[in-house]
Amino acid sequence: MTVKMIAVDMDGTFLNSQQDYDRETFNQLYQQMKQQNVRFVVASGNQYYQLKSFFPEIAEELSFVAENGAYVVSEGKEIFTGEIDSNTIHEVLTILADFKEGHTILCGKNSAYVAETEPDSFVEHGEKYYYRLKKVSNLFEVKEDTLFKFALSFPVEQVGEVLEQLHQALGDKVIPVSSGHGDVDLIIPGIHKAHGLLQLQELWGIKNHEVAAFGDSGNDIEMLKHAGYSYAMSNGQPKVKVAAKEIILSNDEKGVLVKIAELLGN
């Protein structure tokens, strides 16, 4: 088997429940990846600036498919940036106003934005995933940025129902996907993690069957279907397990690192 690219989701996949990973083991594996010319790609719904912080020594060497594919950066260079036009942003914000239990972060290239009226608990939750998060008087005012995603939060038990309602309310303007916990992302149609990986594959001449991908949530499904080698975490959502070719140990059992070691021939 020849794997030339390894793409990992972060929350619930690469990261354990303490939002960390076994850095020593990973660093050893990363040195092996470099020796074997295997690219390591971080593919997450989270913000680029947050993702970089997990790899302080090597962030400038890595590639990031951030914001569910809307922002792709390789070795510090911007490869792809999606954009939602301002009319659609306004339409979606108007529709979201009817979802009383929901909270919204508007995500852009330079920063993410949250309304001042949101509760502090939600803003603190947002700051874990968005290192650049600005408070604004309302989200309709955000103009000086390239906007490409909505990050929503709902009570966990409502997510299934809310996904259905959002699908109906939004049509094909933006696509709702679950990203774990009570979080739902609204993404640009056709711009998902698999699309992001494809941008990098074209850059490096890597075929789909040479890609290994790891995930646990609804926003990983396209990526898992796209990759020749696809792994769902045992802690993953049921439909994610169906999309993957193999189910591996959970995120708290270092499932990704165990499998990467295997892929590298250890």
Side-chain angles (χ1 to χ4, degrees):
M1 55 158 64
T2 317
V3 170
K4 294 187 179 173
M5 180 199 282
I6 291 173
V8 302
D9 168 57
M10 291 294 278
D11 296 300
T13 300
F14 187 75
L15 299 178
N16 58 29
S17 299
Q18 283 69 51
Q19 293 294 106
D20 205 354
Y21 61 98
D22 178 345
R23 292 173 188 248
E24 196 180 329
T25 302
F26 172 73
N27 286 335
Q28 290 164 358
L29 291 171
Y30 179 65
Q31 295 312 317
Q32 275 186 270
M33 285 184 243
K34 280 168 65 167
Q35 284 159 8
Q36 296 182 26
N37 290 322
V38 176
R39 301 278 186 168
F40 182 74
V41 179
V42 176
S44 168
N46 295 349
Q47 190 182 49
Y48 170 60
Y49 306 104
Q50 186 247 19
L51 297 173
K52 272 174 68 171
S53 73
F54 286 104
F55 305 94
E57 290 86 21
I58 56 169
E60 294 307 311
E61 298 177 14
L62 298 181
S63 301
F64 296 87
V65 172
E67 308 277 8
N68 282 327
Y71 192 44
V72 181
V73 178
S74 180
E75 296 169 22
K77 289 188 204 65
E78 198 176 302
I79 303 297
F80 175 82
T81 307
E83 182 167 16
I84 303 176
D85 69 85
S86 58
N87 289 345
T88 304
I89 295 277
H90 288 182
E91 282 177 54
V92 172
L93 287 172
T94 305
I95 290 166
L96 290 177
D98 291 337
F99 287 80
K100 301 295 179 232
E101 302 269 341
H103 304 285
T104 303
I105 292 174
L106 183 54
C107 308
K109 186 167 101 174
N110 300 325
S111 183
Y113 305 89
V114 62
E116 288 168 349
T117 50
E118 292 284 11
D120 291 345
S121 58
F122 174 65
V123 176
E124 282 161 26
H125 170 75
E127 283 169 347
K128 285 186 206 157
Y129 304 101
Y130 298 93
Y131 278 26
R132 294 190 184 179
L133 184 62
K134 280 186 192 157
K135 284 187 177 180
V136 291
S137 57
N138 78 67
L139 295 177
F140 286 92
E141 287 175 11
V142 179
K143 294 194 171 61
E144 302 297 309
D145 201 349
T146 304
L147 302 170
F148 43 48
K149 196 189 83 182
F150 294 84
L152 314 178
S153 194
F154 291 92
V156 174
E157 66 281 0
Q158 292 182 14
V159 168
E161 191 186 337
V162 162
L163 280 170
E164 284 297 309
Q165 292 168 341
L166 286 168
H167 267 294
Q168 287 169 359
L170 297 164
D172 51 7
K173 293 181 185 65
V174 284
I175 309 293
V177 291
S178 68
S179 56
H181 318 298
D183 296 333
V184 173
D185 285 346
L186 304 181
I187 63 176
I188 302 167
I191 307 296
H192 39 58
K193 291 184 185 184
H195 180 271
L197 293 186
L198 212 45
Q199 307 287 319
L200 295 169
Q201 286 173 239
E202 284 169 8
L203 197 63
W204 301 324
I206 293 175
K207 307 277 189 292
N208 295 358
H209 66 84
E210 298 169 319
V211 176
F214 296 81
D216 73 310
S217 290
N219 60 345
D220 297 315
I221 288 175
E222 291 89 356
M223 171 171 83
L224 294 174
K225 287 182 172 171
H226 169 82
Y229 301 91
S230 56
Y231 305 99
M233 313 309 289
S234 63
N235 53 284
Q237 297 171 359
K239 61 184 178 187
V240 180
K241 293 178 178 176
V242 173
K245 295 191 172 68
E246 194 180 320
I247 297 166
I248 60 170
L249 294 170
S250 76
N251 64 323
D252 283 327
E253 299 168 295
K254 305 184 196 177
V256 172
L257 297 179
V258 170
K259 182 52 74 173
I260 288 177
E262 207 178 292
L263 291 171
L264 295 174
N266 295 359

